[in-house]
Amino acid sequence: NDIEGPQVVAVNLPDGMIDVPVNPYLRILFNESMSDVCATTDPIYLENLTTGENIFGNLVFNSDRTVVEFSMPSGQLLETNTEYRIAGSGFCDLANNIIDYTGGSFTTGNNAVADTTRPSVELFTPFSGANNVPRNAVVELLISERLDATTVTADYFDVHSNTGEGYLNINVELQSDLRTIRLTPVDGLWPANSSLTVYSYGPSSGSNRARDLAGNLMPNNIVTRFSTSTVDNDIEGPQVVAVNLPDGMI
């Protein structure tokens, strides 16, 4: 007998987030599958904490009904510089156990225009084409805007060794700025003397694709390449070896 109500395990807009776009993409993760029937009564909404108005939107479940995605109705936007609370009632699991949900709040930014720009990669490290990279190198991608942390997973990235090891097991972590994605090998070190290719992939749409806070999809086929050395652990900081303007130059 399942007699316990479902629980929310993650929300992509954490409590207190600021400068959220006026067309937010809300994603709520549950600990079990939810019922489609209960979800027909607008169970998730955004409450304007200034006016008390409730904003209802479009809801879509993922395939196993453990994730619900909320998006604004076509043509409707939130108010700028306004605090909203995530709330809901009437959600139930497959055993009809009901959950009433009151989540955190977020504040929109001062841009009254919907964010429809896809995020892009601004920087890679190591840079594409780098050679003699130490095996403990941290691979990072700097993204042009904040991402939805619940959509940045190992399913979206691969690292492939072109010199024999094939696809590598990696950890994928979105850093606290929500813009920096860090990739590290599960066993701690990249293969020695190996040519590595980092790339992203994913379906043309769907919840398995990384998104920004407005739901805009990351592009496919982000690629960078570098080659490793035999150095296991580079633990010494870099040193300045020359400066083109010597001390005291007049």
Side-chain angles (χ1 to χ4, degrees):
N1 290 318
D2 178 4
I3 59 174
E4 295 186 3
Q7 297 180 1
V8 173
V9 295
V11 180
N12 69 328
L13 298 179
D15 186 32
M17 177 172 276
I18 62 174
D19 200 25
V20 172
V22 291
N23 58 326
Y25 167 77
L26 176 62
R27 201 163 182 260
I28 300 176
L29 284 65
F30 296 94
N31 67 332
E32 59 179 316
S33 297
M34 308 298 288
S35 167
D36 289 329
V37 175
C38 294
T40 61
T41 56
D42 293 322
I44 292 293
Y45 57 89
L46 301 178
E47 179 187 359
N48 185 319
L49 294 183
T50 300
T51 66
E53 177 188 10
N54 292 333
I55 309 297
F56 299 96
N58 304 311
L59 296 184
V60 177
F61 275 112
N62 70 336
S63 59
D64 65 4
R65 305 301 192 269
T66 59
V67 178
V68 65
E69 300 169 355
F70 172 101
S71 60
M72 296 294 293
S74 178
Q76 185 173 349
L77 301 174
L78 299 181
E79 299 289 335
T80 59
N81 300 312
T82 301
E83 186 177 5
Y84 289 86
R85 180 165 53 207
I86 304 167
S89 62
F91 259 128
C92 68
D93 62 17
L94 301 182
N96 207 38
N97 298 305
I98 295 176
I99 177 177
D100 290 330
Y101 174 66
T102 300
S105 64
F106 64 86
T107 302
T108 54
N110 57 15
N111 188 347
V113 179
D115 177 6
T116 59
T117 302
R118 295 173 67 178
S120 60
V121 177
E122 293 186 336
L123 294 171
F124 285 109
T125 184
F127 61 88
S128 190
N131 294 311
N132 295 316
V133 174
R135 299 180 63 200
N136 65 331
V138 175
V139 176
E140 288 187 336
L141 297 78
L142 179 64
I143 311 302
S144 58
E145 58 181 307
R146 293 178 297 175
L147 297 179
D148 173 354
T150 67
T151 65
V152 179
T153 69
D155 293 333
Y156 185 60
F157 292 94
D158 262 328
V159 177
H160 184 266
S161 170
N162 304 315
T163 48
E165 291 84 358
Y167 292 103
L168 307 177
N169 293 322
I170 60 172
N171 300 310
V172 176
E173 297 176 314
L174 183 64
Q175 303 303 295
S176 59
D177 63 358
L178 300 183
R179 292 183 57 199
T180 304
I181 300 173
R182 178 174 295 175
L183 313 180
T184 55
V186 169
D187 63 5
L189 296 173
W190 301 111
N193 289 326
S194 183
S195 173
L196 302 180
T197 301
V198 181
Y199 64 93
S200 67
Y201 64 100
S204 58
S205 62
S207 59
N208 289 334
R209 187 91 167 270
R211 298 172 180 260
D212 65 15
L213 299 181
N216 299 305
L217 295 169
M218 282 279 289
N220 279 331
N221 302 319
I222 302 169
V223 177
T224 185
R225 296 179 175 87
F226 64 94
S227 297
T228 58
S229 67
T230 58
V231 176
D232 286 350
N233 288 298
D234 179 2
I235 58 174
E236 295 185 3
Q239 298 180 3
V240 175
V241 296
V243 178
N244 70 325
L245 298 179
D247 184 35
M249 176 176 276
I250 59 176

